[in-house]
Every structure is written in structure tokens, then in C-alpha cells.
Amino acid sequence: METVKYLLSEREMPEFWYNIVADLPVPLPTVLHPGTKQPIGPADLAPLFPMALILQEVSTERRIEIPDEVRSIYRQWRPTPLYRARRLEKVLDTPAKIYYKYEGVSPAGSHKPNTAVAQAYYNKQEGVKRLVTETGAGQWGSSLAFAGALFDLEVLVYMVKVSFNHKPYRRALMETYGARVVASPSEETASGRAILAEHPDSTGSLGIAISEAVEVAVQRDDTRYALGSVLNHVLLHQTVIGQEAMAQLEQAGDYPDIIVGCTGGGSNFAGIAFPFIGAKMRGERDVRVVAVEPAACPSMTRGKYAYDYGDTAGMTPLVKMHTLGHTFVPSGFHAGGLRYHGMAPLVSHLLQLGQIEATNVQQLETFAAGIQFARAEGILPAPEANHAVAAAINEALRCKEEGVSKTILFNLCGHGHFDMTAYTDYMAGKLKDFEYSSEEVAMALAGLPSVG
């Protein structure tokens, strides 16, 4: 019998998160204070995050132990299955072997609870009562709402307005878990009111929603901010994905030649790829790693590697990353979790070092790939995950053209059960591709902060 899924027992779940910072050949550029533009210290981040997460953010230790309470919650859905996409391979008639790690089995339906549970745990340990965050497609908001329910924390979510309107069921899930969800930009914050005064019909962006969440978080001592991507500690928590995939591929007697991951802020890409990139940097095994982003929000492929704010209002620390400019507001395409103006500093740094490569795909191609995948494998991917599916299919077809067999691994970071409006619109011919002119990109980059 041909094995389709590779499973680990709960005892085989990772006991540590992997910190890729320990293996970087060149250190990350310094994080700067948004006001002084001087290197930031732990005290500057204390109004936003608990000290345990701040220490993880700056850690250079290769392994950071996962607390027992977090691991016990992880066991609700971890380890997640690794699938060999045998039916898709046959449909494509490719000599390539395709594997995908499926994170859609989590309670919230994506990879995001891997960090949501950890962040809720550390905040609870330090006496925090309320968490405030932003969300694009709603997967992160759903995950933090779920984690908040587990740890009896109040959760407030600023949801990008276009997704708030597109995804009522994702909103309902957050409310079921007990969170309050507000469409962003809103009248509840000074930053939201400023955006609405200038753009009354604004569809919102992750940068705007982050500004609102950060503004609210710093107003009360019992409140902290939680972020679903971009920062080092968030990417760290996701590395359980890649560590499990390594063990499962060992079961299969295989190792990837190519790893593909969709990228918006970088969390699910880091989760699947960082353990393998670490092995590559340590000289253990080689692998080609491809980060895939939307053509409608191309921070890595058309943005600039520069210091920028993580939010629209300029309240967050300055980090060096691939960015389209913090004032960039992407079009309302359906992969809401990838509509972010910047890329995680760690992912950006690896691209600069030549450890990974980046590409982008258009919206219509991703939905076509998602439907082809669903008809072959039976799982309907989230629109964000479709970017990885499309790139993996392209790699498999390249193998077919070249007559070579390569092993391809990608992260199917979430299911599309709350995204049926997007699929309905695609099948009705209502969706279109978005492309930004060089002039539009240049205008967005013109507002980058000046850093000496």
C-alpha cells in the first residue's frame, strides 16, 4: 500500500521551539525606537508585550523550551498530519513527489494557534487581563479569541474592514469564542478617525488595524498587544510545524529538494521552512526555499529593503524589512492574511543573504490552483494557502518539463471553509488580477522614514 499520510504520536511532538537567529551568519539589523530612532531596549517594548515574549524576541539561543501547559493545549491538534499528494501528482502527471503539512486541523482552522496559545499563556502568567490585536482574513483573530477563551482573557480584535464585510462567519467564530470584533478603520481610536477623515470609504489595511490595536493596548496597564506574524517570537512559535515535518519526512525516507510557503507577514512560511533553512546554514542538508506572495501586495519582489514602521500611524518600532511603505493600502483581494505592507525582518534578512528566493502570483492563478488541489486531494485551501499550492504546482510541472524527480514540500496553512464567498465570486467570474504600476509603488515608498 502507498502511504498517503504520515503521523506522529503526541509523545513525538517537539519539546522546544527552534530559533533560527542562533544560526544566522550575519546578525539581524538593530530594531529602532520610532521616536528617537535609537536602538530599542526591553523597557521600550514592555507596554506592548510581557517580558517573557520580549526575551524570546531578542534571544540568540537555538532552542527555547515550550512550557508544559502550552504543549498540553497543542495536543488538541498537534502533531498535524503530513500528506503525500499522490492524487495531485497523478493529475499533474509529474515525476515530482509532493508533500504538504496540513495545519487546517487546528480548532481555528489554521497554523495561527501555534503562537496564539503561547502568547496568551505568557500574558496570563504576567497578570494581563485583556489582549488587543488586528486581523486580516480573520484566522489570527479567531486563533487569539480561541486562546483567550482557554486562558480567560478578554480579547478585542480590529478586523480589516474589507475582510470584516467579506467574512461574516469568521467574525462569528471570533465572537463565539468571546472576542469583540471591530471593523478597521474605526471611530474608536484617534488613528482610525484620522484615516476615516481623509478616506471615508477606506477598506482598511493590516497597517491601519495594527495602529488601532497598539493605540488601545498602551492605554491600560492590564492590556497588552498580540501580533500574529512578523516579529521574531511569533515566527519562533511556528517552528513546531517544520520540526514535525522533518520527523515525518524521515518516516517517509525522504527530504525536500524544494520548500514552498506563502508569505504575508512570514509566520507560516517561517514555521515550515526555518528548521530546514537552519540545517542548510549549519551545512547539514541543502534545500531550495521559495517564498510566495500575492502580486497585489509584493513586498519582497517589488518592495524595498529598508527601515519602516510596522503600522500606518508610525507608532511601532522601526525594523529593517522588505516593505511597500507603511502607508500602502493594498486592493481588497481575497487573501486577506497576506495584505500586509512589509515582510518579517527575519524572512527579509534571509532573502538578503540569499538563503531563500521570492516570487509572486496573481489572484486568478491561485484560485485555479486551489480548486485543482481540492478536486484532487479533497481539502479546500484558504485563499492565502492557495499561493503556496500554485507555486508548488508550478514547481511540479517544471519537473515534468525537465524530466526530473524532485521532492516538494509546502505548508497548507489553513482551510477555506470560511472563504466560500471568495470561491463563489471566482467561479462566477467576478474576481480579477491586480497589478501596481511602478509609479504607485514609488509613491508608497516615498514616505519611508529617514534613518541615518
Side-chain angles (χ1 to χ4, degrees):
M1 285 173 46
E2 294 183 326
T3 303
V4 170
K5 59 182 179 297
Y6 297 86
L7 305 172
L8 300 174
S9 70
E10 291 178 13
R11 290 191 185 90
E12 294 173 286
M13 189 172 64
E15 297 180 9
F16 297 85
W17 292 303
Y18 164 66
N19 185 11
I20 198 170
V21 173
D23 291 315
L24 291 176
V26 179
L28 273 175
T30 306
V31 178
L32 305 179
H33 190 284
T36 65
K37 296 187 172 66
Q38 295 301 307
I40 208 163
D44 298 311
L45 296 174
L48 293 177
F49 306 110
M51 190 53 64
L53 291 179
I54 293 172
L55 293 176
Q56 289 181 4
E57 185 69 19
V58 300
S59 174
T60 57
E61 296 293 323
R62 182 174 285 115
R63 301 199 310 169
I64 294 176
E65 189 172 5
I66 305 173
D68 287 342
E69 191 170 355
V70 173
R71 291 185 80 243
S72 106
I73 295 171
Y74 277 179
R75 284 198 288 271
Q76 293 290 117
W77 71 96
R78 304 214 71 86
T80 59
L82 177 79
Y83 286 87
R84 171 81 181 272
R86 295 187 183 274
R87 293 182 182 276
L88 180 63
E89 292 169 11
K90 289 176 183 175
V91 168
L92 299 175
D93 189 26
T94 177
K97 293 181 284 184
I98 305 172
Y99 294 88
Y100 59 95
K101 184 76 163 151
Y102 185 43
E103 292 293 301
V105 296
S106 80
S110 77
H111 67 294
K112 294 291 188 179
N114 297 329
T115 185
V117 169
Q119 291 188 52
Y121 166 80
Y122 288 117
N123 275 282
K124 184 70 173 183
Q125 290 290 105
E126 294 197 15
V128 173
K129 303 295 184 186
R130 183 175 72 151
L131 293 176
V132 185
T133 194
E134 77 293 326
T135 195
Q139 290 185 343
W140 166 242
S142 300
S143 300
L144 193 66
F146 161 67
L150 295 178
F151 289 99
D152 193 26
L153 294 168
E154 182 184 341
V155 175
L156 170 60
V157 181
Y158 287 92
M159 187 174 187
V160 176
K161 188 173 289 182
V162 65
S163 293
F164 184 94
N165 294 328
H166 279 166
K167 303 179 188 296
Y169 299 123
R170 182 63 71 177
R171 205 168 73 227
L173 179 62
M174 289 183 251
E175 291 167 347
T176 300
Y177 286 138
R180 186 167 80 89
V181 187
V182 178
S184 173
S186 76
E187 295 286 350
E188 293 193 358
T189 67
S191 54
R193 290 190 293 271
I195 293 290
L196 290 172
E198 190 173 351
H199 304 286
D201 298 323
S202 173
T203 56
S205 71
L206 279 167
I208 294 170
I210 291 171
S211 291
E212 294 205 86
V214 168
E215 180 182 328
V216 171
V218 298
Q219 291 172 355
R220 277 174 36 180
D221 290 340
D222 67 348
T223 301
R224 292 293 181 272
Y225 172 61
L227 186 63
S229 193
V230 180
L231 295 181
N232 297 358
H233 69 267
V234 182
L235 276 56
L236 170 82
H237 299 155
Q238 295 294 352
T239 58
V240 290
I241 302 171
Q243 290 181 77
E244 288 178 5
M246 278 182 157
Q248 289 161 318
L249 284 165
E250 191 173 340
Q251 281 184 7
D254 220 333
Y255 198 87
D257 298 297
I258 305 165
I259 296 175
V260 172
C262 64
T263 47
S267 69
N268 97 83
F269 171 83
I272 190 70
F274 275 14
F276 292 94
I277 297 172
K280 176 183 177 181
M281 291 192 296
R282 294 191 300 273
E284 295 169 12
R285 295 289 296 265
D286 196 16
V287 65
R288 178 172 159 243
V289 183
V290 183
V292 190
E293 63 184 4
C297 197
S299 62
M300 289 184 294
T301 51
R302 298 189 64 193
K304 184 177 181 179
Y305 186 55
Y307 274 100
D308 199 8
Y309 301 104
D311 71 309
T312 300
M315 299 170 65
T316 58
L318 287 159
V319 294
K320 197 164 189 183
M321 61 182 177
H322 285 90
T323 179
L324 293 163
H326 60 281
T327 60
F328 179 80
V329 178
S331 55
F333 64 97
H334 275 284
L338 306 184
R339 286 196 298 252
Y340 184 57
H341 67 269
M343 184 53 58
L346 272 170
V347 176
S348 298
H349 191 57
L350 289 168
L351 182 60
Q352 288 300 113
L353 294 176
Q355 294 292 337
I356 65 173
E357 57 191 80
T359 187
N360 66 64
V361 287
Q362 285 283 6
Q363 177 165 248
L364 295 181
E365 180 185 353
T366 67
F367 275 92
I371 288 174
Q372 183 177 39
F373 181 87
R375 290 176 180 174
E377 294 292 311
I379 298 172
L380 184 73
E384 293 79 11
N386 282 340
H387 291 71
V389 174
I393 287 175
N394 289 340
E395 293 292 344
L397 292 176
R398 184 177 292 115
C399 289
K400 179 180 178 180
E401 290 170 7
E402 296 174 357
V404 297
S405 176
K406 293 187 177 179
T407 298
I408 301 166
L409 169 67
F410 72 93
N411 193 20
L412 189 58
C413 56
H415 65 63
H417 300 169
F418 292 107
D419 301 288
M420 298 317 299
T421 299
Y423 280 96
T424 301
D425 287 349
Y426 171 77
M427 289 185 279
K430 295 180 180 179
L431 299 190
K432 62 179 182 178
D433 290 335
F434 296 92
E435 193 74 55
Y436 290 99
S437 67
S438 298
E439 291 75 17
E440 287 175 301
V441 174
M443 282 181 62
L445 290 171
L448 287 177
S450 176
V451 176

